[in-house]
Amino acid sequence: MTNYIEVKDATKTYQMGETTIVANDALNFSVKQGELAVILGPSGAGKSTILNILGGMDSPTSGQILIDGVDIAAFSERQLTAYRRTDVGFVFQFYNLVPNLTATENVELASAVAPDALDPTEVLQEVGLQARMDNFPAQLSGGEQQRVAIARALAKNPKLVLADEPTGALDYVTGKQVLKLLQDVSRKKGQTVLIITHNAAIAPMADRVIQINDAKVRRVIENPHPQSIDEIEW
Amino acid sequence: MKNRLQFRLLGRKIYGSLGRFIAIILIIMLGVLLFVGIKSSGPDLYHDSTTFLQKKRASDVQIISSTGLTNRDLKLARQIKGAQVEGSKFVYGTSSQNSDTIQLFSYRQADRLNQLELTKGHLPRQNSEVVLDDLARKQGYALGDQIKITNSQLQRQQFWIVGFVISPQFVNKATRGTTNIGDGSVNYFAYTNQANFKVSAYSAINVHFPKLEGLNSYGDDYQAQVARKVTQLKAAFAGRAQKRDQEIQTAALKPINQQQAKINAAKKQLTAAKQQVSAASQGQLTTTPEIIAQEKSLQDAQAKIDAAKKKMTQLATTTFYYNERADLPGFTDYGNLADRIAAIANVFPLIFFLIAVLITFTTITRMVEEEQTQIGTLKALGYTRWEIAQNYVFYALLAAVLGIIIGVIVGTKTLPQIVISMMQTQYSYPPSPIGYDWPTIIIAIGLALFATLGAVVYVLIVQLHEKPAALMQPKAPKAGKRILLERFTTLWQHLSFNQKVSYRNLFRFKSRMWMGILGIAGGTGLILTGFGIRDSIDYSGQTQFK
Ligand SMILES: Nc1ncnc2c1ncn2[C@@H]1O[C@H](COP(=O)(O)OP(=O)(O)O)[C@@H](O)[C@H]1O
Ligand SMILES: [Mg+2]
């Protein structure tokens, strides 16, 4: 299997007045095609920062981000837009659904601009929301909203699915359902999936665990025998 | 599908905060309404006068002579290219009612120039009929009344009032001009058949140039062109004054010369009589008392004739006067008023419009800023800048277009009408609005679009430039800062908590502070201007008549 993602010396700094905040300090890691990887680390470690960079939503201050062999760190604004449009499905920590659109319409919003998009209704059925398709986000629970957000990411049929603490705001059972969905994506469809979490307990579900602490990669653990999320308790 | 979603999003955005959408439409509408309405009042007023004067073929120049005008003068005036020429007679008389002074004009059905506009009744058909100034109608004169106008140059003095009229020569209801009878001012004008006038000479020659009809009589262009025509007329009338003097003298000398001939003949007879007397008396008598008496009376007659001759040559000195429309009684006041309204329109509604622009700008800016996270989400999903901008652009465009359309229509249909109806209490021009004042409307559209689209484009350029990651981050609250006032510790300590927060916020959100200051300043300015204008108008009236 080839490396789908290769992060080389990725550094991201923020200038806040006179102080410089180093969010990512020369990160190096890679993720293989079709893998489910978990980025694990405490709050403020720089997880979201690197995930945003991988999703083309931000650019590193220095370093290379090779996606399928192409360095997106060198992309222009237009190239980044195209990359986000076709290659990435992003699941945001706070769902970020458009409040004025129904569940279906929120999914359509993504599928409308992607070339290989899936049928929004089918994707919503897959995430178990067939009964909620015409509801507005305000009428949905947190778990349901997060499932719509996942459906929206999957509807593009992207090569890469990125999820930033998808269970952060959910209860145990709902969180498990959501993680299962993401695991299935990687197992059944062969898409590369990256999940951020600060919960070390869910690490066994991943093919690869990237531990980040204090802006640096501390350890990368490959797990030849990942467990199904159903078997994990915490 | 993308467009369908966009439209749904747009529709729900409008519907979801209908109040804001309507507020933007209303403020744009008000700005456009005032701006277009007041600004087009000036041109509308000019248009009223142009239309009326054109329809009535008002004379551009009136030639008046100190010795009256004849057909020869008409012929001279006709030499000017494109001139329509007519003679007109008038006398000043005193009416039996209230001893009003009346300027009575000659009327011929065939007259083309300075046509009358009937407000009641019909134009004179018989010599016994007269039509009267519409002003007189409000002063107790009525259709069917008999009126006596006293002037020795009229064939008759009793007339029946058969109609009331407006004349393009008297557009200002406040004045009818002056004369040298009565108290010096003319009260009304009137028209009766030309046959009622004894004198054959015309009192005035009306000259009209159809080519100048479309021009605004109060404008520089018209005035320059008329000045050129007057120069041509003067050239055509060069030397005419002396000839006219001679004409009058010859005409006046004719009866005198006849008398002279009679006297000469009488003298001859007397001489012959004397010779007879001398022959009959064989030289004893040279005359008789009878003959002496006759001679005496002849000498007296001769002296009278000599005196008359002398008087004639002294009296007849012809001068021509060339009066333009601006010389008509009260004509120019109207232009001054219209100018003043146009001048007000340059300031007053513009200030209001700028306030409207400001409010719209802030509202739309805030709306887009509120949706920052949503814009970030769309960017993250791979939407291009234009795809994201579309929604806001359409929102702004829709509000602006609705506001502009309503504002332009209501503004054009109401405000000028109010101004015109105010002017009609003093001027006789019937209303004839131009309709849409496109140059002004285009300026209004520009400003309205700037306020709405400009705001959207401005915030979007700022926002769309940011990376989606930055947009989606919940915006950190603006940092509070210590303000100067806090250095005055004692004073600061005495403020309540609410006051402290208010003062800090005032400087924390500088743009909102400026918005507030500008809005209040503009509003106060408008109110003050309004009172100022009213006071000035009142006061100028008082000082003028002191
Ligand atoms: N836009 C930003 N401006 C300044 N500092 C930032 C910004 N985004 C993240 N940071 C800082 O970078 C560090 C890493 O943040 P983040 O990647 O969000 O951490 P995590 O997702 O692991 O909790 C934190 O200290 C955070 O304060
Ligand atoms: Mg994070």
Side-chain angles (χ1 to χ4, degrees):
Chain A
M1 280 273 212
T2 54
N3 284 338
Y4 186 70
I5 301 173
E6 259 182 89
V7 177
K8 292 183 175 173
D9 288 329
T11 298
K12 178 75 182 177
T13 57
Y14 293 106
Q15 200 69 37
M16 298 288 277
E18 281 154 32
T19 53
T20 307
I21 297 169
V22 183
N24 288 156
D25 189 2
L27 302 190
N28 281 292
F29 65 87
S30 55
V31 178
K32 289 200 166 70
Q33 171 96 49
E35 271 184 346
L36 169 70
V38 161
I39 298 181
L40 186 66
S43 181
K47 308 184 296 291
S48 296
T49 305
I50 187 63
L51 200 75
N52 284 339
I53 292 172
L54 286 171
M57 309 223 298
D58 213 343
S59 299
T61 315
S62 65
Q64 285 185 314
I65 311 290
L66 299 176
I67 305 289
D68 219 359
V70 184
D71 183 13
I72 65 163
F75 271 10
S76 68
E77 166 83 33
R78 187 186 290 256
Q79 284 173 309
L80 276 177
T81 303
Y83 169 68
R84 292 196 295 264
R85 202 174 172 108
T86 56
D87 291 356
V88 187
F90 212 111
V91 182
F92 307 104
Q93 186 173 359
F94 302 106
Y95 330 134
N96 284 69
L97 300 177
V98 176
N100 266 335
L101 295 178
T102 62
T104 315
E105 287 163 351
N106 262 289
V107 178
E108 281 174 353
L109 203 58
S111 65
V113 291
D116 303 323
L118 308 173
D119 179 38
T121 339
E122 278 173 24
V123 183
L124 276 168
Q125 274 164 358
E126 273 175 49
V127 300
L129 281 177
Q130 54 276 13
R132 302 303 226 151
M133 293 203 287
D134 292 327
N135 287 101
F136 286 95
Q139 300 164 315
L140 299 174
S141 72
E144 287 167 334
Q145 288 187 52
Q146 189 60 295
R147 278 189 276 164
V148 176
I150 291 172
R152 185 173 64 184
L154 300 184
K156 280 182 170 184
N157 200 11
K159 295 183 191 121
L160 180 61
V161 176
L162 304 172
D164 191 350
E165 307 219 24
T167 60
L170 303 179
D171 62 75
Y172 180 80
V173 178
T174 331
K176 245 182 160 176
Q177 286 173 353
V178 163
L179 288 175
K180 175 114 183 67
L181 268 170
L182 290 169
Q183 196 176 35
D184 287 350
V185 167
S186 143
R187 297 278 175 274
K188 293 179 184 159
K189 296 193 177 167
Q191 286 161 317
T192 311
V193 178
L194 246 80
I195 301 172
I196 284 184
T197 182
H198 60 263
N199 183 0
I202 62 172
M205 74 180 275
D207 298 308
R208 184 182 296 268
V209 179
I210 301 151
Q211 287 184 9
I212 295 186
N213 202 343
D214 204 8
K216 287 195 167 77
V217 174
R218 299 297 164 179
R219 216 145 61 114
V220 178
I221 307 161
E222 283 190 69
N223 181 6
H225 305 293
Q227 285 176 278
S228 164
I229 192 74
D230 298 326
E231 300 161 21
I232 304 174
E233 303 270 333
W234 66 87
Chain B
M1 186 158 75
K2 200 174 66 204
N3 289 337
R4 188 177 53 104
L5 279 178
Q6 290 267 19
F7 277 114
R8 266 194 214 172
L9 210 50
L10 181 63
R12 289 186 194 144
K13 200 205 310 274
I14 291 171
Y15 190 73
S17 54
L18 203 57
R20 173 161 59 192
F21 189 67
I22 290 175
I24 296 175
I25 293 178
L26 279 183
I27 194 79
I28 290 280
M29 182 206 85
L30 273 180
V32 171
L33 185 153
L34 264 186
F35 184 72
V36 171
I38 299 185
K39 205 94 178 103
S40 64
S41 293
D44 260 346
L45 289 176
Y46 289 130
H47 191 253
D48 287 352
S49 69
T50 308
T51 314
F52 184 63
L53 295 171
Q54 175 171 15
K55 189 173 134 209
K56 296 297 163 191
R57 294 188 220 199
S59 47
D60 294 296
V61 181
Q62 278 185 323
I63 307 173
I64 291 177
S65 158
S66 53
T67 56
L69 298 140
T70 67
N71 284 329
R72 288 194 193 158
D73 296 305
L74 288 182
K75 240 187 225 164
L76 282 179
R78 284 203 183 96
Q79 288 176 0
I80 311 302
K81 224 175 112 196
Q84 290 181 353
V85 177
E86 268 174 20
S88 145
K89 300 177 186 178
F90 59 80
V91 296
Y92 295 96
T94 311
S95 114
S96 49
Q97 279 187 34
N98 315 327
S99 45
D100 285 329
T101 304
I102 289 182
Q103 184 174 13
L104 183 62
F105 287 87
S106 63
Y107 170 77
R108 278 184 308 183
Q109 217 189 344
D111 281 348
R112 284 283 148 275
L113 306 186
N114 291 333
Q115 287 178 21
L116 301 171
E117 170 97 354
L118 269 173
T119 56
K120 219 177 172 200
H122 62 81
L123 290 168
R125 290 169 191 155
Q126 291 164 17
N127 293 349
S128 61
E129 295 177 342
V130 72
V131 287
L132 210 54
D133 192 341
D134 191 60
L135 274 191
R137 188 149 68 101
K138 283 129 202 156
Q139 302 300 327
Y141 293 87
L143 279 189
D145 281 1
Q146 202 172 33
I147 181 176
K148 190 177 171 196
I149 301 174
T150 322
N151 185 295
S152 58
Q153 292 180 30
L154 291 173
Q155 303 281 13
R156 58 184 306 140
Q157 314 217 318
Q158 295 282 356
F159 301 97
W160 296 104
I161 300 173
V162 296
F164 290 98
V165 289
I166 300 172
S167 160
Q169 295 190 82
F170 299 96
V171 292
N172 189 335
K173 292 182 182 171
T175 173
R176 288 300 179 241
T178 53
T179 178
N180 49 12
I181 66 164
D183 64 358
S185 63
V186 180
N187 297 102
Y188 309 115
F189 66 86
Y191 275 78
T192 190
N193 280 348
Q194 198 173 65
N196 291 332
F197 287 77
K198 283 183 190 167
V199 275
S200 65
Y202 294 111
S203 317
I205 293 177
N206 294 324
V207 188
H208 175 70
F209 300 96
K211 270 213 172 137
L212 307 186
E213 269 176 359
L215 298 179
N216 169 20
S217 306
Y218 299 96
D220 295 339
D221 187 20
Y222 172 84
Q223 269 151 22
Q225 298 222 37
V226 168
R228 225 171 295 146
K229 298 289 182 195
V230 168
T231 316
Q232 291 175 12
L233 280 169
K234 280 182 178 162
F237 275 76
R240 172 66 188 145
Q242 287 92 309
K243 280 200 192 123
R244 175 72 180 146
D245 285 349
Q246 280 166 14
E247 269 172 36
I248 292 170
Q249 282 168 24
T250 347
L253 281 175
K254 215 167 156 196
I256 295 174
N257 286 343
Q258 279 169 3
Q259 292 292 321
Q260 186 67 62
K262 272 186 200 161
I263 290 173
N264 288 350
K267 270 184 183 163
K268 259 187 200 154
Q269 275 178 7
L270 270 186
T271 324
K274 267 188 193 169
Q275 277 166 3
Q276 270 179 7
V277 169
S278 176
S281 65
Q282 272 137 17
Q284 281 180 343
L285 286 173
T286 55
T287 184
T288 63
E290 234 178 23
I291 289 171
I292 288 171
Q294 292 255 332
E295 268 179 340
K296 181 103 182 49
S297 72
L298 268 182
Q299 267 168 16
D300 287 351
Q302 185 62 54
K304 265 187 199 160
I305 281 170
D306 288 346
K309 262 189 185 170
K310 207 174 169 194
K311 211 172 158 192
M312 222 58 258
T313 46
Q314 279 171 354
L315 252 187
T317 41
T318 304
T319 316
F320 291 106
Y321 302 94
Y322 304 86
N323 290 338
E324 298 170 20
R325 284 179 183 171
D327 299 313
L328 291 172
F331 188 87
T332 46
D333 302 357
Y334 185 84
N336 296 339
L337 259 174
D339 277 350
R340 234 167 288 156
I341 287 168
I344 290 174
N346 279 336
V347 184
F348 202 71
L350 203 63
I351 294 176
F352 187 87
F353 207 177
L354 288 182
I355 295 174
V357 165
L358 222 62
I359 294 172
T360 316
F361 206 90
T362 334
T363 313
I364 288 190
T365 308
R366 200 173 287 181
M367 180 187 84
V368 179
E369 276 171 2
E370 274 169 16
E371 296 191 358
Q372 186 196 325
T373 330
Q374 187 176 318
I375 291 174
T377 309
L378 287 171
K379 264 200 112 166
L381 286 175
Y383 276 75
T384 63
R385 291 190 212 184
W386 167 237
E387 283 168 344
I388 299 170
Q390 258 177 357
N391 216 272
Y392 300 94
V393 168
F394 283 144
Y395 181 91
L397 213 57
L398 197 62
V401 166
L402 285 175
I404 289 168
I405 290 177
I406 304 175
V408 164
I409 292 177
V410 177
T412 308
K413 297 289 171 208
T414 56
L415 286 189
Q417 277 64 8
I418 294 172
V419 173
I420 287 169
S421 70
M422 272 171 4
M423 293 290 262
Q424 275 190 307
T425 57
Q426 217 191 327
Y427 297 91
S428 312
Y429 295 127
S432 104
I434 309 177
Y436 296 100
D437 179 9
W438 288 110
T440 303
I441 291 172
I442 286 166
I443 294 174
I445 291 175
L447 285 172
L449 287 184
F450 169 77
T452 49
L453 269 189
V456 164
V457 169
Y458 168 75
V459 267
L460 282 182
I461 282 178
V462 174
Q463 298 236 334
L464 289 177
H465 207 73
E466 299 230 32
K467 298 268 182 208
L471 284 171
M472 290 173 70
Q473 225 162 37
K475 222 180 188 178
K478 241 186 159 179
K481 255 196 240 158
R482 302 210 165 267
I483 59 173
L484 192 65
L485 201 63
E486 294 177 50
R487 303 252 173 103
F488 304 94
T489 328
T490 37
L491 184 70
W492 185 252
Q493 277 165 354
H494 279 93
L495 296 176
S496 73
F497 175 74
N498 264 336
Q499 284 171 323
K500 284 179 186 169
V501 170
S502 300
Y503 284 123
R504 274 198 188 146
N505 278 347
L506 205 59
F507 294 98
R508 196 162 147 214
F509 304 104
K510 286 216 179 56
S511 68
R512 285 186 210 173
M513 178 182 79
W514 282 113
M515 225 34 103
I517 291 176
L518 283 179
I520 293 171
T524 315
L526 281 184
I527 295 174
L528 211 65
T529 320
F531 283 132
I533 290 173
R534 197 186 62 181
D535 285 356
S536 312
I537 290 172
D538 286 355
Y539 187 71
S540 62
Q542 283 168 18
T543 38
Q544 189 176 350
F545 293 108
K546 232 174 222 166

